Amino acid sequence: MSKAIRFHQTGGPEVLQFETVEVGDPGPGQVRLRHTGIAVNFIDIYFRSGRYPAALPSGLGSDAVGVVEAVGEGVSFLAVGDRVGYLLGPLGAYSERRVMPAEVLIKIPDGIDDETASTLIMKGLTAQYLFRQVFPLKAGDTILYHAAAGGVGLIACQWARALGVTMIGTVGSDEKAAIAKAHGCTHVINYRRENFVERVKEITEGRGVPVVYDSVGRDTLMGSLDCLQKRGTLVSNGTSSGPVVIDTMLLAMKGSLWVTRPAMVDYALPRPNMLKMADELFDLVLQGRIVSKPQQRFALADAAEAHRALEARETVGATVLIP
């Protein structure tokens, strides 16, 4: 028996329950993990609230690190004691232990501790596919990135600096501005007291940017489009303020703009691509070019409090649950 967060109906953080669950032995192609760190991501809130569907009752979370406790038949690339992380597979990461399909697990290299890894699997690979696949960046590019002091944002700041990219980031407070700047964001805009469209135009001398990475959604949509150059690209990689709805004629009127709503699974699979992405991320971490630690820690039993803090925009960087 083990403990896990479950929810039997959708709603606010109060629907999350800390329950006893049964964890069996792994079957063919599976392993059993003991979690050491569980990441909290905004997508978890979407499932809990019902914005994204889940069969109820349900576990929660898709991003964690842990140690292999048992290996099922046919799994030859993992052994008991291996440290692994994952970001794909069924919901249920908010748990002390669980059985997982081995094919979604990524070995964590020596030199990267579990605490660091718990902030990197989903967030670091998100930065990888946004910057290296969705809109491949090159040295000398200038970009606009919303929520630059968030969990993905602080990794994105460092990755942009490593690539030689000028990153304009938006944040919601002077404290977050200082943190984003310290992590490599070239220009930081506090959107609560500055018009980010005007500042982007000022920074780029009226040219705008070729790409905007927008995880905020509804509240920033029109401003993001106004920051783009002709034939520029809006990467809509989140909707924390609400869903994005676009009239395609607007894209033509604003300069033949492109919009994409990418999903991690379409870039991380098949497995060899996921491992290649992880190798690139881990190499930057081992070189010291990306540094990441949890900024907020909650006990697994206090997952609801972690959700409240994240939804209230009270967090900076990565938030993790400790089993």
Side-chain angles (χ1 to χ4, degrees):
M1 306 300 287
S2 189
K3 289 284 190 177
I5 294 291
R6 305 271 292 169
F7 62 110
H8 296 257
Q9 63 186 55
T10 58
E14 68 279 357
V15 303
L16 300 180
Q17 304 295 318
F18 193 48
E19 299 180 353
T20 299
V21 296
E22 185 174 352
V23 180
D25 294 326
Q30 297 179 327
V31 303
R32 188 176 68 239
L33 303 177
R34 174 180 55 82
H35 286 144
T36 55
I38 303 153
V40 178
N41 297 295
F42 221 94
I43 193 172
D44 303 341
I45 292 171
Y46 296 163
F47 281 110
R48 187 211 73 215
S49 65
R51 181 180 295 184
Y52 288 0
L56 300 178
S58 176
L60 191 62
S62 56
D63 175 13
V65 298
V67 179
V68 175
E69 280 193 334
V71 177
E73 181 184 350
V75 178
S76 59
F77 55 89
L78 291 173
V80 172
D82 282 348
R83 297 185 308 124
V84 297
Y86 62 88
L87 73 163
L88 301 175
L91 296 179
Y94 286 21
S95 58
E96 294 175 339
R97 286 174 173 80
R98 72 183 302 201
V99 172
M100 285 287 289
E103 64 180 7
V104 304
L105 301 179
I106 302 167
K107 277 190 180 182
I108 299 169
D110 294 338
I112 299 178
D113 60 46
D114 287 7
E115 188 174 67
T116 293
S118 68
T119 71
L120 286 174
I121 303 299
M122 174 74 79
K123 297 173 180 67
L125 293 185
T126 296
Q128 196 283 342
Y129 92 90
L130 292 178
F131 282 8
R132 306 291 286 152
Q133 299 186 73
V134 176
F135 190 101
L137 298 176
K138 61 184 184 303
D141 285 342
T142 298
I143 67 173
L144 174 61
Y145 190 101
H146 289 297
V152 179
L154 293 185
I155 296 174
C157 291
Q158 298 174 78
W159 209 312
R161 179 170 57 188
L163 291 171
V165 167
T166 297
M167 179 167 160
I168 305 170
T170 68
V171 298
S173 71
D174 290 341
E175 176 193 8
K176 291 183 177 182
I179 293 170
K181 189 85 170 178
H183 281 75
C185 193
T186 316
H187 304 279
V188 188
I189 302 168
N190 183 341
Y191 66 82
R192 294 189 188 278
R193 46 183 191 75
E194 297 180 279
N195 183 305
F196 74 82
V197 177
E198 292 177 0
R199 286 286 290 123
V200 168
K201 293 296 179 66
E202 178 184 331
I203 292 166
T204 62
E205 298 180 340
R207 294 186 301 273
V209 295
V211 60
V212 176
Y213 297 93
D214 190 341
S215 62
V216 178
R218 182 175 55 203
D219 289 354
T220 49
L221 171 62
M222 296 305 297
S224 293
L225 295 177
D226 288 339
C227 289
L228 287 168
Q229 301 170 358
K230 289 186 184 299
R231 300 190 302 276
T233 299
L234 172 66
V235 180
S236 177
N237 58 296
T239 54
S240 62
S241 70
V244 169
V245 179
I246 297 179
D247 180 349
T248 56
M249 282 303 298
L250 186 65
L251 302 179
M253 293 168 57
K254 289 185 175 293
S256 299
L257 304 179
W258 296 81
V259 177
T260 181
R261 180 61 167 97
M264 170 69 78
V265 66
D266 295 321
Y267 290 85
L269 295 180
R271 177 175 171 81
N273 197 45
M274 179 177 68
L275 298 180
K276 182 179 177 181
M277 292 165 62
D279 285 345
E280 184 175 8
L281 169 64
F282 292 150
D283 283 348
L284 288 172
V285 175
L286 292 170
Q287 292 169 28
R289 302 179 80 179
I290 290 179
V291 177
S292 184
K293 289 287 185 180
Q295 299 297 309
Q296 296 82 211
R297 299 169 180 82
F298 293 83
L300 175 60
D302 296 329
E305 292 304 315
H307 277 220
R308 290 187 181 98
L310 188 61
E311 288 182 288
R313 301 183 187 276
E314 296 173 351
T315 63
V316 174
T319 299
V320 299
L321 304 175
I322 306 300

